[in-house]
Amino acid sequence: MARMDSNGALTSEPVSSRCEQRLADCGIRPTAQRVRIASLLLSAPQHLSAEQILANLRSSGARVSKATVYNTLNLFASHGLIRLLSVDGSRAWFDSNVDAHYHFHDTSSGALIDVPVPEVEFSRLPPAPPGTEVAGIDLVIRLRKKAS
Amino acid sequence: MARMDSNGALTSEPVSSRCEQRLADCGIRPTAQRVRIASLLLSAPQHLSAEQILANLRSSGARVSKATVYNTLNLFASHGLIRLLSVDGSRAWFDSNVDAHYHFHDTSSGALIDVPVPEVEFSRLPPAPPGTEVAGIDLVIRLRKKAS
DNA sequence: TTCCTTGCAAAACTTTTGCATTAAA
DNA sequence: TTTAATGCAAAAGTTTTGCAAGGAA
C-alpha cells in the first residue's frame, strides 16, 4: 500500500499517517513540512541537528526553509514530541526519544549514544530547593579515547 | 598590604599573586588581562558567562577586549583551571570550580546551583564502550517552579 | 630581536524574527 | 474567507579569526 503524498514523494501510508496522528493528538496541524520533519525524525531513536534535518529533507526533494525547520522543531519540543539536548555548546541536538534516558558523549568523534534508564541507578539524589521541583535529569557521560 | 597593579587598580597582594602562581604552574604567562580574569573568576566558586566577565572587568576600569576574554577563558579551560558548562544552548558558562560536582538548573530563573558530590550516589553506571574511557560525568538536575 | 599577547573589526555560525505570500480549514 | 504556516532575507546573539600594534623576555 503506497501512494503519492502532497509533495510528490512515494511514501508508505502507515509511516506518514502514524506521524499525522501523533501531530493531531498534540493539536498540531499536520502540514506537509511538519509531517516530513516528523517522519524523518521520529522514524527511529536518533539525534539530529537542524542543519542535518534541513539537508536531508532538501536532498530528498522537499521544499522547506530553514526557518520552518527551526519553528517546527521548537514546536515539537514544546509539545513533548522531541527533546532538545545541550550536550556541547556548538549547536542544539534534537532527540526523537522522549522517554527518560541518558547519554554517552564521545568528545573525540562527537557521537551521542543513548544510555537506557536501567543502566544507571541513583542511590542518592539531593532534594530540590524550596519552591522548586525536579523537572528532569540530564546525565551526560563524557568519553575520550582510551589511552592504554 | 596593598599596592597599585599595572592597570592602576588597588589590589590586595595575596589575591593576584595567588592567581599569578596558579597561572605560572600551568605554564601560562601571567599577563595583566589574564591575572584580572583569573582574579575575578577564581575568587569564589561561581558560574559566569564571557559577557559578564567582560562587563565586570570594564566597569572596574580594566582595558580588555572581547577577543581576549574568549581566548583567555578557552586557554584556562584547556589547562583545567576552569570548566566549560553547556547547560542551556544559549551560551557557555565558565565554572571556577573544577572539582567534581554537579548542578541544579532552574529553568525559570536560569540560575545554576552547585550540587556537591556526596549528595549524589550512583549505585550503577554503564561500562564505557570499547576503546573509550569515562572522561567525566555531567549531571544537571533541571528544576521548575513547584506547582502546588 | 623574537615571540607571544592584545585589541579591533570583521567573519563565521547558529537561531530568531518580520513580513509578504501561500496553504489549510 | 479567515486564520495559520511558510519562505526568504535580514537581524540578532555568541564565538572565532586575521592582522596590525604593543609588550615581555
Side-chain angles (χ1 to χ4, degrees), chain A residues 13-35:
Chain A
E13 207 145 73
V15 176
S16 57
S17 53
R18 207 179 302 128
C19 285
E20 285 188 35
Q21 191 54 53
R22 290 191 65 180
L23 298 187
D25 292 349
C26 294
I28 296 174
R29 185 187 297 182
T31 65
Q33 285 84 347
R34 288 173 179 172
V35 172

Side-chain angles (χ1 to χ4, degrees), chain B residues 75-125:
Chain B
L75 181 71
F76 286 3
S78 71
H79 282 83
L81 272 170
I82 60 178
R83 187 170 141 198
L84 198 160
L85 302 179
S86 301
V87 54
D88 57 51
S90 65
R91 83 206 65 217
W93 293 100
F94 296 90
D95 192 336
S96 60
N97 182 0
V98 291
D99 297 332
H101 68 286
Y102 312 111
H103 294 98
F104 282 125
H105 180 231
D106 189 321
T107 49
S108 34
S109 70
L112 214 43
I113 304 166
D114 279 0
V115 174
V117 165
E119 298 199 7
V120 177
E121 263 176 30
F122 295 93
S123 49
R124 176 196 286 263
L125 278 172

